[in-house]
Amino acid sequence: MPNHPAPAIPYSLLDLAPVTEGSTPAEAFANSLDLARHAERLGYTRFWLAEHHNMPGIASAATAVLIGHIGGGTSAIRVGAGGVMLPNHAPLQVAEQFGTLASLYPGRIDLGLGRAPGTDQATTRALRRYYSGAEAFPSDVMELLRYFEPVQPGQPVQAVPGAGLDVPVWILGSSLFGAQLAAALGLPYAFASHFAPAAMTEALALYHRDFKPSKRLRAPYAMLALNVVAADTRAEAQRLFTTQQQSFVRLRRGMPGLIPPPIDDIEAFWTPQEKAMVEQALACSVVGDARDVREGIAEFAARHRPDELMLTANIFDHQARLYSFELAARAFRRD
């Protein structure tokens, strides 16, 4: 592997408030706060939480509520949504929620927006008062952005709080659609390369090519997500990674559940077809010891040239997860 220097870019952390086998959502929330404080000490720029529903192993469904919990327990790290699935919500309500968060924690709140439901079809219907799909996503984003503008004379509806507040809005995506929208609106863009990397290169190129400067952002700013699992030895890191591999297979089998412990023989768990599917989905992953992780992160950053990296790891043991993110943070040190 080429010897790339440590990337001189911000690094951030994506959390799903994982509920492991034998634990509860309450314990997941305590672990998320502990992880956020750990990330703050280690120099991570952001701590984002993702909206998922009807997933027993993911406790971050009420994303804005959990962001408030994390924001109140930390002091400097930016806390945000990576993201809020806007088709599930009225734009005004999202503006009010994140206006509230930005009022409580000024200068520390991010709002990432996605157009996927973050769940299955039955739950999608249960979430929405009316079901119209995600076709209205661009107009919903623009409506939401307007609620953060200063109130105009005669404006019939305003976000209280929210109006006139500086809440950075990101577009999230795993296809070309999000890249096109982020470029057209002049917004920062975060690509879900940690689970859907197929269109990453094309989406980044499109975003940079078509970006139109806006009041919110003068030049394109792209963040890529990367799975990173680090341990003292390569074998132990690969074993820890089997938790995430199992979770992907279970989801594809239609059997999502609590986050499973690692196993010694992943080959006995999956079929060749499932293995190929997981390897494609998790192609943007760095797994290994401290040196492997340092070189892997540096090579990924040098190849794709993101403005920022968002690291994530689905590790069963909380202490092992803390240590993994500590080893990952060292990969960004220039000393």
Side-chain angles (χ1 to χ4, degrees):
M1 185 179 291
N3 186 19
H4 297 286
I9 58 174
Y11 53 100
S12 295
L13 195 159
L14 174 65
D15 182 36
L16 301 180
V19 186
T20 58
E21 291 182 6
S23 73
T24 66
E27 291 171 295
F29 298 145
N31 287 341
S32 287
L33 180 55
D34 188 44
L35 178 60
R37 290 169 171 165
H38 186 62
E40 188 170 69
R41 291 190 294 268
L42 292 169
Y44 284 82
T45 299
R46 310 173 204 278
F47 187 91
W48 279 10
L49 294 143
E51 176 187 345
H52 292 271
H53 299 277
N54 199 30
M55 299 281 288
I58 298 176
S60 51
T63 316
V65 177
L66 190 51
I67 289 170
H69 174 63
I70 301 297
T74 53
S75 59
I77 195 168
R78 298 192 66 90
V79 188
V84 162
M85 300 298 106
L86 192 54
N88 297 339
H89 309 275
L92 175 61
Q93 291 176 314
V94 176
E96 291 168 341
Q97 290 168 0
F98 281 80
T100 299
L101 290 167
S103 298
L104 289 168
Y105 313 112
R108 295 182 54 209
I109 298 298
D110 297 325
L111 172 55
L113 300 173
R115 69 171 183 142
T119 188
D120 56 83
Q121 290 187 356
T123 309
T124 297
R125 289 189 289 271
L127 280 166
R128 301 175 187 174
R129 294 180 308 248
Y130 56 89
Y131 182 71
S132 60
E135 292 78 11
F137 181 65
S139 60
D140 283 350
V141 171
M142 289 186 283
E143 179 184 346
L144 177 53
L145 292 173
R146 286 194 295 271
Y147 288 129
F148 289 132
E149 296 292 330
V151 176
Q152 300 301 309
Q155 181 175 327
V157 179
Q158 59 182 278
V160 184
L165 294 183
D166 180 20
V167 179
V169 175
W170 294 65
I171 299 296
L172 313 184
S174 59
S175 67
L176 302 186
F177 182 91
Q180 292 169 333
L181 184 62
L185 297 180
L187 295 175
Y189 179 54
F191 189 86
S193 34
H194 61 304
F195 72 87
M200 175 179 61
T201 301
E202 189 177 359
L204 280 181
L206 187 155
Y207 173 66
H208 283 94
R209 185 194 71 205
D210 294 347
F211 181 86
K212 293 180 173 59
S214 69
K215 290 185 297 183
R216 288 178 166 269
L217 192 64
R218 302 307 302 169
Y221 192 94
M223 178 160 61
L224 295 179
L226 181 67
N227 299 293
V228 176
V229 177
D232 285 333
T233 67
R234 186 177 298 175
E236 176 58 15
Q238 290 171 341
R239 182 176 180 275
L240 294 177
F241 191 48
T242 63
T243 287
Q244 189 160 353
Q245 292 169 323
Q246 290 176 80
S247 294
F248 259 77
V249 171
R250 289 181 176 185
L251 183 61
R252 296 304 188 274
R253 289 176 180 175
M255 300 165 53
L258 301 178
I259 303 303
I263 55 178
D264 293 325
D265 185 7
I266 188 66
E267 299 299 332
F269 174 79
W270 56 22
T271 68
Q273 294 78 17
E274 290 171 337
K275 178 180 180 179
M277 175 274 296
V278 172
E279 289 181 344
Q280 190 281 326
L282 302 182
C284 293
S285 298
V286 176
V287 181
D289 59 21
R291 180 175 179 179
D292 292 331
V293 166
R294 182 181 181 89
E295 292 179 351
I297 290 175
E299 192 276 333
F300 183 84
R303 175 181 297 180
H304 301 292
R305 306 185 66 82
D307 298 292
E308 187 171 336
L309 279 175
M310 175 72 71
L311 309 184
T312 190
N314 200 358
I315 295 174
F316 180 83
D317 179 77
H318 180 59
Q319 294 304 317
R321 195 165 185 241
L322 294 176
Y323 186 52
S324 177
F325 279 114
E326 181 177 342
L327 292 178
R330 294 179 193 173
F332 291 86
R333 294 179 185 168
R334 309 293 286 183
D335 51 25

